[in-house]
């Protein structure tokens, strides 16, 4: 792999000669500068990567609306910038999203198998996650090294993106080719014994420098934080663009990502139907054990994830007022899920061990979009018009027979053991267990009534077809809905240029949840849901580099789970979340940058017709969550900087009857970086301690229907104290 990393540098020789003579940040012919969101410039020859940090991101791309100024958007949108990803040495999107106070990660079947969600609502498999605006599989591994940032729309985005849960929209933005030659190499180390190497190469070549290339190659492997564990991950990402003329650009992207992790702690399952048969009563969530303890996982058990992605877009600017974008993506995600499930059998720490998950081992998706945006003046009032379509085709493939195997003997949390491996049973082959088709037509208009007042209305008309199958090929559910609407109406008022106030109402159609494996109605899709939101908010530009946001919301969604004693998966009530979120990002002073905020959520189950659950807190949603990143880079320090991250999470309900809770916890991550020059090249050294106090906590707690464990709740441990060091070389 080192030869691949070093060989990647050869690309720069194709680009450096013509580009090095340029002093302008765009190609020699200059046409690319006329297309918004296309031209990309590296940090600059006089600055090291990520220094000084640029944590302010004034714009985001919101699907059919195109590029939007965050100050003027009537939604809560946060953007994780590339500099934050670099300076805090994050490797995956899960690592990166932990800096957002409204966001939770729901782990499912092991490392990097999860669902991101905002404001306390469960995310879906594909509807809530996107790559450059196109739907992707959200429950597989997604690296961070090839990303230029992450844009998160909190709350439902059904009017913009089609049927989806109100868990927000997570759009992972790819790095684009740079207009100046780029050759960067980095070497990273984690205290547990993992070395990670990365080469990032880019530039332009060809006639008039119209062809741009960006190649990212990453490899990391070693022993993780449990003795005898191992990780191995490889990324190859190639991003290209071709400026056909001054108004048209073609973008092509390919990535191959594999990640393996074995021997890390498994999940902890409690208070489920399987424990009631023991006659020992329901089980509670125990105190979080030490995640480094050998035996909470098994050396030969974990995840083996492989994802191939191909993406293409063509963007055309007709004139200063009208533009067109058309894109398509195909992704194939293979998931080898041989992880460990530790099922508690009593409240004294006894548990049984199961290896291998019955979850979906393969997903495929083809997604597509087309957007036309323009500005029209009618009766003296400007209209920002959006016309578009987006959708996807998603296939899920399951094992015909279960591969789960019970390991013996039973264990206790006080003294877990490495158990004798057992062979994985034959899976009987794969079959298509479900097929989902969604297609939406979007019409939107932002009517500027005055210079200070605007009315935005967007309506999405969707066509949904969800079908599931048994292993025999028999259809187990078939639901087709045509012409269902998801409207959004917003009022935007700017009393002064730096202050924006908004009020938004939205309804969003959502594909019904799919019954998890083990349910009598396994794989069945429930009738589509209708979600609703009321939101008011304010945004204030403290300066050109700092944006403050404050939002209050009331959101509802049907809630489904497995119902005793039948264990059938069905809607049992309504999840109602009320909350307030505050966020700030940017440069408070020339010496201090801040990224983060705080969120309060009251998430409850209503109308359940069950006295034990009615009005109770939703499992896994903290009432208070605070995430703050401080970056202090004083001028007198000669480029040296100090980072400090604090994450606080309030108590979380561990069961739907609220008879068990996970306690609140705090983690702190101090760090330092120092850029310097050597022989005319930039070198940046970074060092950080993750979870410096070595706090033991649960990073994820979820109701069984989220993680595919009917009738049970599932918890995963957070990582222990970890030392991280990194050297970046800019040539």
């Amino acid at each position: 792999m080192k030869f691949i990393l070093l060989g990647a540098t050869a690309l720069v020789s194709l680009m450096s000669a013509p580009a090095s003579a340029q002093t302008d940040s765009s190609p020699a012919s200059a046409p690319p500068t006329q297309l918004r969101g296309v031209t990309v410039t590296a940090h600059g020859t006089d600055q090291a990567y990520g220094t000084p940090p640029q944590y302010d991101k004034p714009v985001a791309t919101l699907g059919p609306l195109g590029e939007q100024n965050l100050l003027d958007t009537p939604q809560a949108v946060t953007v994780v910038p590339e500099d934050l990803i670099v300076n805090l040495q994050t490797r995956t999107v899960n690592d990166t999203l932990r800096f957002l106070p409204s966001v939770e990660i729901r782990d499912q079947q092991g490392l990097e198998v999860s669902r991101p969600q905002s404001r306390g609502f469960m995310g879906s498999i594909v509807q809530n996650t996107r790559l450059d605006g196109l739907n992707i599989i959200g429950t597989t591994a997604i690296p961070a090294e090839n990303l230029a940032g992450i844009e998160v729309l909190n709350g439902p985005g059904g009017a913009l993106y089609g049927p989806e849960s109100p868990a927000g929209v997570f759009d992972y933005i790819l790095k684009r080719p740079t207009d100046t030659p780029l050759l960067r190499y980095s070497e990273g180390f984690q205290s547990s014994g993992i070395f990670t190497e990365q080469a990032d190469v880019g530039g332009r070549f060809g006639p008039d420098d119209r062809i741009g290339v960006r190649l990212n190659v990453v490899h990391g492997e070693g022993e993780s934080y449990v003795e005898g564990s191992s990780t191995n991950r490889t990324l190859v990402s190639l991003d290209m663009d071709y400026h056909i003329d001054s108004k048209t650009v073609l973008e092509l992207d390919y990535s191959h990502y594999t990640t393996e992790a074995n021997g890390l702690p498994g999940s902890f399952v409690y208070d489920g139907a399987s424990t009631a048969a023991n006659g020992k009563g329901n089980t509670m969530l125990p105190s979080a054990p030490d995640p480094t303890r050998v035996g909470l996982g098994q050396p030969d058990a974990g995840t083996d994830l492989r994802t191939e992605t191909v993406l293409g877009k063509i963007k055309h600017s007709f004139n200063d007022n009208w533009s067109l974008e058309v894109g398509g993506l195909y992704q194939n995600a293979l998931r080898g899920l041989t992880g460990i499930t530790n099922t508690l059998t009593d409240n004294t720490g006894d548990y049984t061990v199961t290896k291998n998950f019955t979850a979906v081992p393969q997903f495929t998706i083809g997604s597509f979009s087309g957007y036309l945006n323009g500005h029209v003046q009618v009766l003296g009032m400007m209209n920002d018009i959006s016309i578009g379509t987006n959708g996807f085709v998603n296939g899920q493939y399951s094992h015909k027979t279960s591969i789960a195997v019970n390991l013996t003997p039973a264990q206790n949390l006080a003294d877990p053991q490495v158990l004798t491996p057992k062979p994985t049973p034959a899976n009987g082959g794969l079959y298509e267990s479900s097929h989902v088709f969604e297609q939406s037509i979007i019409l939107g208009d932002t009517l500027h009534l005055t210079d200070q007042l605007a009315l935005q209305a967007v309506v999405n008309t969707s066509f949904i077809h969800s079908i599931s199958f048994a292993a025999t090929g028999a259809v187990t559910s078939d639901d087709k809905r045509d012409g269902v609407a998801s409207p959004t109406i917003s009022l935007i008022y700017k009393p002064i240029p730096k202050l924006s106030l908004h009020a938004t109402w939205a309804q969003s159609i959502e594909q019904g949840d799919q019954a998890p494996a083990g349910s009598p109605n396994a794989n069945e899709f429930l009738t589509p849901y209708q979600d609703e939101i009321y939101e008011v908010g304010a945004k204030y530009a403290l300066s050109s580099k700092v944006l403050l946001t404050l939002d209050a919301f009331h959101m509802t969604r049907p809630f489904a789970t497995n119902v005793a004693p039948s264990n059938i998966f069905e809607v049992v009530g309504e999840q109602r979340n009320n909350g307030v979120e505050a966020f700030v990002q940017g440069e408070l002073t020339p010496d201090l940058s801040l990224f983060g905020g705080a969120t309060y959520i009251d998430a409850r189950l209503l109308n359940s017709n069950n006295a034990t659950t009615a009005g109770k807190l939703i499992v896994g949603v903290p009432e208070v969550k605070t995430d703050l990143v401080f970056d202090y880079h004083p001028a007198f320090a000669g480029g040296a900087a100090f980072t400090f991250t604090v994450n606080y999470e309030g108590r979380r309900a561990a069961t739907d009857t609220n008879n068990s809770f996970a306690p609140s916890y705090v983690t702190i991550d101090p760090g330092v970086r120092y850029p310097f020059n050597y022989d005319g090249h930039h070198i940046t050294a970074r060092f950080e301690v993750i979870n410096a106090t070595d706090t033991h906590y649960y990073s994820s707690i979820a109701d069984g229907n989220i993680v595919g464990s009917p009738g049970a709740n599932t918890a995963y441990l957070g990582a222990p104290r970890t030392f991280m060091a990194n050297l970046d070389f800019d040539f």
Side-chain angles (χ1 to χ4, degrees):
M1 177 48 85
K2 288 187 178 180
F3 290 106
I4 296 177
L5 289 166
L6 294 174
T9 63
L11 280 178
V12 80
S13 64
L14 298 175
M15 311 166 190
S16 59
S20 61
Q22 292 177 225
T23 58
D24 192 88
S25 63
S26 56
S29 59
T33 60
Q34 298 185 31
L35 279 167
R36 299 172 66 187
V38 172
T39 301
V40 178
T41 304
H43 262 258
T45 56
D46 60 337
Q47 295 177 341
Y49 191 31
T51 62
Q54 299 173 14
Y55 294 158
D56 58 302
K57 283 292 182 180
V59 298
T61 301
L62 298 180
L65 300 182
E67 191 175 88
Q68 299 286 298
N69 189 318
L70 293 186
L71 180 62
D72 300 330
T73 58
Q75 300 98 356
V77 181
T78 50
V79 181
V80 181
E82 183 178 354
D83 282 3
L84 194 74
I85 296 174
V86 171
N87 286 331
L88 299 186
Q89 305 180 60
T90 64
R91 301 297 184 192
T92 69
V93 296
N94 288 0
D95 296 336
T96 307
L97 291 171
R98 69 188 179 93
F99 305 118
L100 299 176
S102 293
V103 172
E104 286 279 310
I105 300 296
R106 290 288 175 262
D107 293 318
Q108 293 192 263
Q109 290 96 19
L111 185 68
E112 295 193 60
V113 183
S114 57
R115 299 188 188 191
Q117 60 191 56
S118 75
R119 294 181 174 176
F121 285 96
M122 181 181 77
S124 59
I125 295 172
V126 301
Q127 288 90 340
N128 296 93
T129 47
R130 293 172 177 264
L131 184 68
D132 273 3
L134 293 159
N135 289 96
I136 59 172
I137 305 300
T139 53
T140 190
I142 304 172
E145 288 96 342
N146 64 332
L147 299 183
I150 300 177
E151 298 176 355
V152 180
L153 168 63
N154 293 318
L160 301 178
Y161 294 100
E164 62 177 23
S165 90
V169 179
F170 298 83
D171 195 2
Y172 310 125
I173 309 301
L174 289 169
K175 292 178 178 177
R176 301 305 321 160
T178 57
D179 298 320
T180 52
L182 170 69
L183 175 54
R184 180 174 298 118
Y185 176 81
S186 68
E187 185 80 32
F189 173 72
Q190 289 181 224
S191 59
S192 52
I194 302 173
F195 285 90
T196 300
E197 303 156 318
Q198 178 182 7
D200 186 0
V201 183
R204 294 194 173 276
F205 64 96
D208 296 327
D209 285 349
R210 292 183 180 274
I211 300 174
V213 176
R214 183 79 174 264
L215 174 67
N216 270 273
V217 181
V218 180
H219 180 69
E221 64 177 296
E223 184 179 72
S224 191
Y225 56 80
V226 178
E227 182 180 351
S229 64
S230 64
T231 66
N232 192 322
R233 57 192 296 267
T234 299
L235 167 69
V236 179
S237 174
L238 179 63
D239 309 285
M240 302 180 65
D241 64 44
Y242 173 56
H243 291 273
I244 300 171
D245 56 36
S246 64
K247 296 183 177 181
T248 310
V249 63
L250 173 67
E251 298 178 355
L252 298 173
D253 307 278
Y254 166 79
S255 68
H256 165 87
Y257 183 51
T258 63
T259 178
E260 300 176 51
N262 291 299
L264 298 178
S267 63
F268 294 88
V269 174
Y270 58 97
D271 198 18
S274 60
T275 63
N278 297 317
K280 299 182 180 181
N282 291 334
T283 53
M284 307 296 181
L285 179 69
S287 298
D290 183 351
T292 66
R293 181 173 292 176
V294 175
L296 296 179
Q298 298 297 320
D300 65 332
T303 55
D304 182 1
L305 309 174
R306 302 172 185 272
T307 307
E308 304 277 347
T309 308
V310 179
L311 184 154
K313 280 187 177 182
I314 188 164
K315 300 176 180 179
H316 178 72
S317 178
F318 296 100
N319 50 45
D320 291 340
N321 289 326
W322 288 92
S323 62
L324 175 69
E325 175 185 306
V326 178
L329 174 148
Y330 176 78
Q331 186 176 75
N332 182 31
L334 300 174
R335 311 192 311 165
L337 304 175
T338 60
I340 292 297
T341 302
N342 300 312
T343 302
L344 295 163
T345 56
D346 56 38
N347 290 312
T348 63
D350 292 324
Y351 65 93
T352 59
V353 182
T354 305
K355 179 187 174 184
N356 303 332
F357 290 95
T358 57
V360 175
Q362 182 179 9
F363 290 103
T364 62
I365 187 170
S367 57
F368 31 85
S369 64
Y371 304 130
L372 176 66
N373 294 285
H375 309 287
V376 177
Q377 196 162 21
V378 179
L379 299 177
M381 294 181 292
M382 183 61 70
N383 293 258
D384 301 330
I385 303 296
S386 302
I387 304 171
T389 182
N390 54 38
F392 64 86
V393 178
N394 169 225
Q396 302 181 24
Y397 300 85
S398 301
H399 299 302
K400 288 187 176 179
T401 57
S402 173
I403 62 171
V405 57
N406 294 323
L407 303 182
T408 56
Q411 300 288 293
N412 189 277
L413 291 175
D415 187 27
Q417 302 293 316
V418 173
L419 302 176
T420 302
K422 288 186 178 181
T424 297
N427 62 25
L430 299 183
Y431 73 100
E432 187 175 25
S433 53
S434 68
H435 185 90
V436 180
F437 167 81
E438 289 187 7
Q439 183 67 46
S440 298
I441 299 172
I442 306 109
L443 297 174
D445 181 14
T446 302
L447 174 62
H448 297 270
L449 300 169
T450 69
D451 291 339
Q452 296 177 306
L453 187 64
L455 178 66
Q456 184 181 94
V458 184
V459 63
N460 184 310
T461 303
S462 302
F463 304 84
I464 313 171
H465 189 191
S466 305
I467 185 169
S468 61
F469 307 92
T472 60
V475 174
T476 54
S477 69
D478 189 350
D479 190 274
K480 188 174 183 181
R481 305 296 167 115
D482 292 334
V484 291
S486 298
T488 295
I489 299 176
S490 301
L491 189 64
I492 309 164
Y493 177 56
K494 296 185 69 175
I496 58 176
K498 290 186 175 183
L499 176 63
S500 173
L501 308 174
H502 71 266
T504 295
W505 168 84
Q507 283 187 339
S508 181
I509 294 296
E510 174 190 355
Q511 173 196 309
D513 288 322
Q514 188 176 15
S519 308
N521 57 336
N523 296 332
E524 178 183 341
F525 287 99
L526 304 184
T527 300
Y529 302 159
Q530 180 172 279
D531 311 322
E532 190 169 38
I533 177 175
Y534 295 88
E535 177 180 318
V536 294
K539 301 179 183 181
Y540 181 68
L542 189 62
S543 71
S544 62
K545 294 185 177 182
V546 181
L547 181 65
L548 309 176
T549 64
L550 180 66
D551 288 274
F553 54 86
H554 167 83
M555 301 168 63
T556 57
R557 173 189 187 265
F559 185 88
T561 191
N562 295 84
V563 180
S566 67
N567 208 33
I568 291 176
F569 184 77
E570 61 185 8
V571 172
V572 296
E574 177 183 76
Q575 180 177 348
R576 187 273 296 148
N577 290 12
N578 292 335
V580 179
E581 57 194 7
F583 196 82
V584 56
Q585 68 180 107
E587 187 178 280
L588 295 181
T589 73
D591 294 339
L592 179 64
S593 297
L594 177 61
F595 183 95
T599 300
Y600 166 79
I601 302 176
D602 181 57
R604 296 184 182 273
L605 176 62
L606 305 181
N607 306 318
S608 67
N609 296 318
N610 184 334
T612 64
T613 61
K616 298 303 175 77
L617 295 170
I618 297 294
V619 172
V621 181
E623 290 182 291
V624 178
K625 187 171 183 285
T626 301
D627 303 286
L628 292 169
V629 179
F630 299 89
D631 193 304
Y632 181 55
H633 40 274
F636 64 79
F642 306 91
T643 60
F644 186 81
T645 301
V646 57
N647 306 100
Y648 168 78
E649 194 152 329
R651 71 168 193 165
R652 291 162 289 172
T655 63
D656 58 5
T657 59
N658 293 184
N659 62 349
S660 179
F661 282 84
S664 61
Y665 70 90
V666 177
T667 62
I668 57 173
D669 310 335
V672 62
R673 70 174 178 273
Y674 182 70
F676 58 95
N677 292 322
Y678 178 77
D679 195 23
H681 302 296
H682 295 299
I683 301 175
T684 305
R686 295 179 175 87
F687 179 78
E688 188 178 14
V689 184
I690 307 298
N691 189 6
T693 57
D694 200 23
T695 299
H696 299 166
Y697 67 98
Y698 289 105
S699 62
S700 172
I701 300 173
D703 181 90
N705 76 84
I706 297 178
V707 296
S709 299
N713 304 291
T714 300
Y716 278 89
L717 292 173
R721 178 170 50 229
T722 305
F723 299 95
M724 299 186 69
N726 190 81
L727 277 177
D728 268 343
F729 301 86
D730 291 300
F731 298 96

